[in-house]
Amino acid sequence: DKAIRFLRDRGITQAVAQRNRLSSQTVFMPQAGEKVSAICFPYYRGGELVNAKYRDGKKRFRMEKGAERVLFGLDDIDPACTVIVEGEFDKLACEVAGWPNVVSVPDGAPTPETKNYASKFEFLNDERVESVERWIIAVDCDEPGERLSEELCRRFGKNRCLIVEWPEGQKDANDV
């Protein structure tokens, strides 16, 4: 019930949460040093669970150790046009707005201090990603998001990308 209320407060419907197979779980959160209640975002490739990301109420995250890094919503890619966002809640918000063909990067935007920037994009090495004709880049409106947008456009090819500009005062899809 607490997780459903939390999602509802962010504008995420129960139907969208169920379609994306979200769940509420008790997991060990290293930052807390204990087990906590968290929302689980399952990551699938071809219908097979390959990873899971957990987020607690204090915005602490963790993924399964040693699991494959893939886009959240990888199975929702539409080869004609796919939206790419910076976080799981942004993907869910886009779906609530009627855009089911949305994926999210697994770790958010790399920080400017990231040393091995190239390795942060290995999740793009997938034939479905390469098959997309048109990308809509809808990442956060902040410095890391701008850098992520530039890197995605470079990797996808600028001619295949459209970039979303959020309304004044709005940072991302979930804000809007």
Side-chain angles (χ1 to χ4, degrees), residues 27-36 54-56 58-63:
V27 296
F28 180 78
M29 193 66 70
Q31 304 95 317
E34 62 184 351
K35 287 187 174 186
V36 299
Y54 306 93
R55 181 198 193 272
D56 72 5
K58 295 185 178 178
K59 204 173 179 183
R60 295 179 291 214
F61 298 91
R62 87 164 177 86
M63 287 186 115

Side-chain angles (χ1 to χ4, degrees), residues 8-164:
R8 190 176 335 120
D9 289 346
R10 293 190 74 138
I12 308 304
T13 65
Q14 191 167 353
V16 166
Q18 288 173 337
R19 193 188 85 71
N20 286 275
R21 304 184 217 179
L22 302 183
S23 62
S24 179
Q25 297 186 18
T26 301
V27 296
F28 180 78
M29 193 66 70
Q31 304 95 317
E34 62 184 351
K35 287 187 174 186
V36 299
S37 181
I39 293 175
C40 173
F41 299 92
Y43 282 64
Y44 289 90
R45 168 181 279 187
E48 178 186 343
L49 181 66
V50 296
N51 202 343
K53 185 175 190 178
Y54 306 93
R55 181 198 193 272
D56 72 5
K58 295 185 178 178
K59 204 173 179 183
R60 295 179 291 214
F61 298 91
R62 87 164 177 86
M63 287 186 115
E64 293 295 337
K65 187 175 182 175
E68 184 180 4
R69 291 278 203 269
V70 298
L71 292 163
F72 178 65
L74 180 63
D75 290 349
D76 292 333
I77 283 182
D78 180 334
C81 182
T82 297
V83 180
I84 188 165
V85 296
E86 198 172 319
E88 293 84 5
F89 283 113
D90 297 322
K91 184 242 190 288
L92 300 172
C94 287
E95 189 169 326
V96 168
W99 290 80
N101 54 323
V102 180
V103 294
S104 173
V105 298
D107 298 314
T111 65
E113 300 82 38
T114 300
K115 290 182 175 58
N116 190 358
Y117 203 70
S119 72
K120 291 291 185 181
F121 292 90
E122 291 175 355
F123 58 85
L124 295 175
N125 297 331
D126 186 283
E127 62 188 29
R128 281 172 284 192
V129 171
E130 295 167 12
S131 73
V132 175
E133 292 177 36
R134 174 78 57 202
W135 285 97
I136 298 174
I137 312 293
V139 296
D140 291 8
C141 181
D142 57 16
E143 185 180 344
E146 288 176 26
R147 189 168 177 201
L148 174 60
S149 178
E150 290 170 6
E151 187 64 21
L152 290 171
C153 286
R154 187 184 73 74
R155 288 170 181 269
F156 295 150
K158 289 184 181 185
N159 61 321
R160 295 170 53 204
C161 298
L162 299 172
I163 299 174
V164 170

